[in-house]
Amino acid sequence: MRPPGTLHERVATQVRLRIRDGVYPVGAALPSESEMCAEFGVSRGPVRQAMAALRAEGLVTITQGRPATVRGRTPARGIATFTPFTRWVESTGRVAGNRTVEVARRRSPGAESVVEVVRVRLLDGVPAMLERSTFTEPVGTLVLGFDTDSGSITDFLIGAGVRFATIEHQLDAVAADPADAGHLGIEPGAPLLRERRVSRDEHGVAFEYADDRYRPDLVTFTLTSSG
Amino acid sequence: MRPPGTLHERVATQVRLRIRDGVYPVGAALPSESEMCAEFGVSRGPVRQAMAALRAEGLVTITQGRPATVRGRTPARGIATFTPFTRWVESTGRVAGNRTVEVARRRSPGAESVVEVVRVRLLDGVPAMLERSTFTEPVGTLVLGFDTDSGSITDFLIGAGVRFATIEHQLDAVAADPADAGHLGIEPGAPLLRERRVSRDEHGVAFEYADDRYRPDLVTFTLTSSG
DNA sequence: AAGTGGTCTAGACCACGCC
DNA sequence: GCGTGGTCTAGACCACTTG
């Protein structure tokens, strides 16, 4: 086997590259499923799985009875396809930064000790999001050994072997409290977009609880769904 | 054939009902795929498609090598799997209501005429969301012939043959203006979760622009992503 | 070792869009 | 009518988790 990964991943990767490079221009029809089957030497199952992934990323439009067409070249800012803040900012060609407010190990009476990190996340140098994360052990100890000003905690943990099997996101809106306002440079009471996240490992055990508050004038979440 | 719909839809509906009614309690293991195949008399394909839908709705957790388990009873307010407000409310066993504030046909100078609808959406009788929708023609004329107090505009339009090929969602937070506050029974300046939607047909032509403002104490958006 | 879900094949029929 | 994607079957092998 030449390339790594499953068949449907290889097909998805190839088609993604061709869309990005303009081999399949925006608005153009993609090859039919049977043509892709012939080209990649696979059956319809992997091809369909790959196309479903591209549709979820907003890259293609699929309609019964007609060829799939290219919708755009760049995937939408995925909440659905989870991307850490730093990686997302850099993928849009901007500069990400971090200002750590607090790193602490805490133990509540009768509870396990946890590690708390509070950071201001910067977008081109401007405070755009206030992140409050709580890590359980043993992940918390890993975080204590990381320079939290240097970049993505998530990417660091992935590199250390931590598996983010599922991430639950909950979105709502809150009024900025005085602490939020001070760190983000806005008025107290101003509306903020709040994303609460719970990250779990492959056993379903939660190891990170996060409360991220975004300035809605600087960051919005977008996604495309197909009906 | 007794029940309507495709096989994977029937399987998904049955499992959804059993989770909602506690036949499969939260945290419990679901029957294996092969058991479901035997019970419903179908092959693995439809069963897997049904389970993938339930996972996307946040109802179940699926891990390789272990049985799927029940995560929760109520599906998340689906952004990823687009569900109209009325259908979502009723799927959680609550009562949806509508109070139409305004239905109007407008024409700006040098522009096509559009139809605007402003509605308060009720959750168990409580104002939970203020919806401002703008429809282009010819869809707008269809909307004018619909009793907007009676239920879902989206489901009405789908029944009339309108195709919602893709829906783009943009989420942020805004402060309630005096009109928002009055309709939703909150203080001006209170934070609201705003969802702006653009619906397009199969040709990529937009026909609906919506601005929905949710009370964050009554409705939040959740979704689960896998890393 | 046994059972689970993840992937893949090769075939079939159906619903829909287009000519 | 023809080609498209949507669904479904029956079987197979693999990766993973658990006893």
Side-chain angles (χ1 to χ4, degrees):
Chain A
M1 56 184 102
R2 286 88 54 112
T6 59
L7 293 185
H8 67 263
E9 282 172 349
R10 293 181 219 170
V11 174
T13 299
Q14 280 306 310
V15 177
R16 239 184 245 115
L17 290 176
R18 291 179 191 174
I19 289 173
R20 194 198 59 185
D21 298 341
V23 179
Y24 301 147
V26 174
L30 288 163
S32 71
E33 292 181 354
S34 57
E35 286 172 322
M36 293 193 193
C37 292
E39 178 190 346
F40 295 105
V42 300
S43 62
R44 274 185 79 195
V47 169
R48 287 185 60 74
Q49 199 167 345
M51 293 303 292
L54 298 187
R55 181 183 57 183
E57 293 164 14
L59 286 174
V60 303
T61 302
I62 302 180
T63 314
Q64 184 173 93
R66 283 186 306 177
T69 57
V70 179
R71 167 167 207 68
R73 297 197 170 197
T74 54
R77 151 63 160 148
I79 336 175
T81 61
F82 159 68
T83 310
F85 182 82
T86 301
R87 220 189 292 163
W88 167 67
V89 170
E90 292 172 351
S91 77
T92 62
R94 294 178 287 186
V95 178
N98 304 295
R99 188 187 301 150
T100 302
V101 176
E102 179 184 358
V103 179
R105 184 196 291 277
R106 288 217 169 76
R107 183 193 301 271
S108 311
E112 298 289 327
S113 82
V114 297
V115 172
E116 293 186 2
V117 179
V118 179
R119 295 194 295 178
V120 178
R121 314 299 298 266
L122 309 174
L123 189 56
D124 285 340
V126 179
M129 187 258 279
L130 183 63
E131 169 192 76
R132 290 180 241 250
S133 283
T134 301
F135 298 91
T136 62
E137 296 298 350
V139 176
T141 298
L142 290 173
V143 174
L144 284 181
F146 176 65
D147 175 8
T148 53
D149 275 345
S150 69
S152 169
I153 294 179
T154 301
D155 280 337
F156 162 71
L157 290 176
I158 291 174
V162 176
R163 288 184 48 183
F164 287 73
T166 63
I167 302 168
E168 300 157 25
H169 310 256
Q170 187 167 2
L171 300 165
D172 64 359
V174 295
D177 62 31
D180 298 334
H183 287 300
L184 294 175
I186 55 176
E187 295 296 319
L192 294 174
L193 177 61
R194 175 170 65 171
E195 175 191 17
R196 284 175 288 184
R197 289 180 284 117
V198 180
S199 305
R200 298 177 186 274
D201 63 17
E202 64 271 32
H203 306 292
V205 178
F207 60 88
E208 178 190 10
Y209 300 85
D211 179 310
D212 297 345
R213 300 179 182 206
Y214 291 85
R215 279 182 54 173
D217 54 335
L218 296 179
V219 179
T220 63
F221 289 154
T222 65
L223 67 92
T224 302
S225 58
S226 47
Chain B
M1 58 191 96
R2 284 88 51 109
T6 59
L7 292 184
H8 68 265
E9 283 171 349
R10 292 182 220 171
V11 173
T13 299
Q14 281 305 309
V15 178
R16 238 183 246 115
L17 290 175
R18 291 178 192 174
I19 289 173
R20 194 198 61 185
D21 298 341
V23 179
Y24 301 147
V26 173
L30 288 164
S32 71
E33 292 180 353
S34 57
E35 286 173 323
M36 292 192 193
C37 292
E39 178 189 346
F40 295 106
V42 300
S43 63
R44 274 185 80 193
V47 169
R48 287 185 61 74
Q49 198 166 345
M51 292 304 293
L54 298 187
R55 182 183 57 182
E57 291 164 15
L59 285 174
V60 302
T61 302
I62 302 180
T63 314
Q64 184 176 89
R66 284 186 303 174
T69 58
V70 179
R71 182 196 286 291
R73 297 197 169 198
T74 54
R77 172 81 181 101
I79 346 174
T81 60
F82 160 68
T83 310
F85 183 81
T86 301
R87 221 189 291 161
W88 167 67
V89 170
E90 292 172 351
S91 78
T92 62
R94 294 179 287 185
V95 178
N98 305 294
R99 189 185 301 151
T100 302
V101 176
E102 181 184 356
V103 178
R105 185 194 290 277
R106 289 216 170 76
R107 184 193 300 273
S108 311
E112 298 290 328
S113 82
V114 298
V115 171
E116 294 186 2
V117 178
V118 180
R119 295 193 296 178
V120 178
R121 313 300 298 267
L122 309 173
L123 188 56
D124 285 340
V126 179
M129 186 259 278
L130 183 63
E131 169 192 77
R132 291 179 241 251
S133 281
T134 301
F135 298 92
T136 62
E137 296 298 349
V139 176
T141 298
L142 290 173
V143 174
L144 284 181
F146 177 64
D147 175 8
T148 53
D149 275 345
S150 69
S152 168
I153 294 178
T154 301
D155 280 337
F156 162 72
L157 290 176
I158 291 174
V162 176
R163 306 250 316 249
F164 288 73
T166 62
I167 301 167
E168 299 157 24
H169 310 255
Q170 188 168 0
L171 299 165
D172 63 1
V174 295
D177 63 30
D180 298 335
H183 287 300
L184 293 175
I186 54 176
E187 295 297 316
L192 295 174
L193 177 60
R194 176 170 66 172
E195 176 191 16
R196 285 176 287 186
R197 289 181 285 119
V198 180
S199 304
R200 299 177 186 274
D201 65 16
E202 64 270 34
H203 305 293
V205 178
F207 60 87
E208 178 191 9
Y209 300 85
D211 179 310
D212 297 345
R213 300 178 182 207
Y214 291 84
R215 279 183 55 173
D217 54 336
L218 296 179
V219 180
T220 63
F221 288 179
T222 67
L223 67 92
T224 301
S225 58
S226 48

